[in-house]
Amino acid sequence: WQALPSPWWPEYVEHGGTAMTPTAFLPVPHPRHLILSATAMERIAASDPDGALKAVTEIQNVFGDPGLLESMVMWADAAGAFAWPETPRGDPVPLHYQYVDTKEDVPADDVPYGQRWAGRWIAARKADDRDTAQALIDSAAADDMLDDCIAAVLYVAAHTVDGALDEIIGETE
């Protein structure tokens, strides 16, 4: 997948005592950043949280908070492309939750906060709904849950992409 810079992002988010603004984003992500972001997704999909943590830590150390948030955008874009392949960017998208292993639907109220937040943020990103995305970032930051929510975006995106690829590969066999 190819990640493009976000067409929208919060003007200012306080996270860990540092300001994150869209001006910190590179026009095209650094190749190392792309590789680390893809590695984090691949490691989560492979049930290797330690490997994913190493990649995310490296993103944080090399590219800082703006790089970590840019990774979150890349992960969301990948998930959105696979979850709603027929939906053009900017159109609203339906949102539902499933168990990773069984693919059974899960009522939203039974989904942990971070994963429910991640699904809503990914859907807002796909729909280009800046107001919802901003409100989600603000609420997670206010609840001191932004780190958990970023991790949940990685988890949800990795399993969304992995599940979609499994279906595609299964169809071709």
Side-chain angles (χ1 to χ4, degrees), residues 2-87:
Q2 179 181 359
L4 301 175
S6 171
W8 48 262
W9 197 253
E11 296 303 316
Y12 176 85
V13 176
E14 185 70 23
H15 177 71
T18 59
M20 295 179 284
T21 66
T23 57
F25 293 139
L26 299 171
V28 176
H30 187 281
R32 184 174 177 193
H33 190 182
L34 290 171
I35 290 166
L36 289 168
S37 296
T39 298
M41 282 186 66
E42 188 273 330
R43 293 290 77 212
I44 285 294
S47 299
D48 178 12
D50 293 338
L53 181 59
K54 274 181 74 174
V56 171
T57 300
E58 185 75 7
I59 291 167
Q60 178 73 34
N61 290 342
V62 174
F63 301 100
D65 286 342
L68 186 58
L69 288 176
E70 189 171 341
S71 290
M72 190 171 92
V73 168
M74 288 188 256
W75 300 327
D77 286 349
F82 281 96
W84 305 287
E86 304 300 321
T87 303

Side-chain angles (χ1 to χ4, degrees), residues 122-133:
I122 291 166
R125 172 81 182 139
K126 175 72 173 185
D128 281 335
D129 184 348
R130 182 183 181 140
D131 292 338
T132 297

Side-chain angles (χ1 to χ4, degrees), residues 15 40-41 44-45 49 52-53 56 68-69 71-80 95 97-98 100 111-123 136-137 140 145-161:
H15 177 71
M41 282 186 66
I44 285 294
L53 181 59
V56 171
L68 186 58
L69 288 176
S71 290
M72 190 171 92
V73 168
M74 288 188 256
W75 300 327
D77 286 349
L95 185 60
Y97 301 91
Q98 293 179 328
V100 171
V111 176
Y113 174 86
Q115 291 176 10
R116 188 172 56 245
W117 186 98
R120 292 176 60 205
W121 198 86
I122 291 166
L136 287 164
I137 292 282
M145 295 290 292
L146 193 54
D147 287 342
D148 291 342
C149 291
I150 292 170
V153 169
L154 171 58
Y155 177 87
V156 169
H159 287 291
T160 299
V161 171

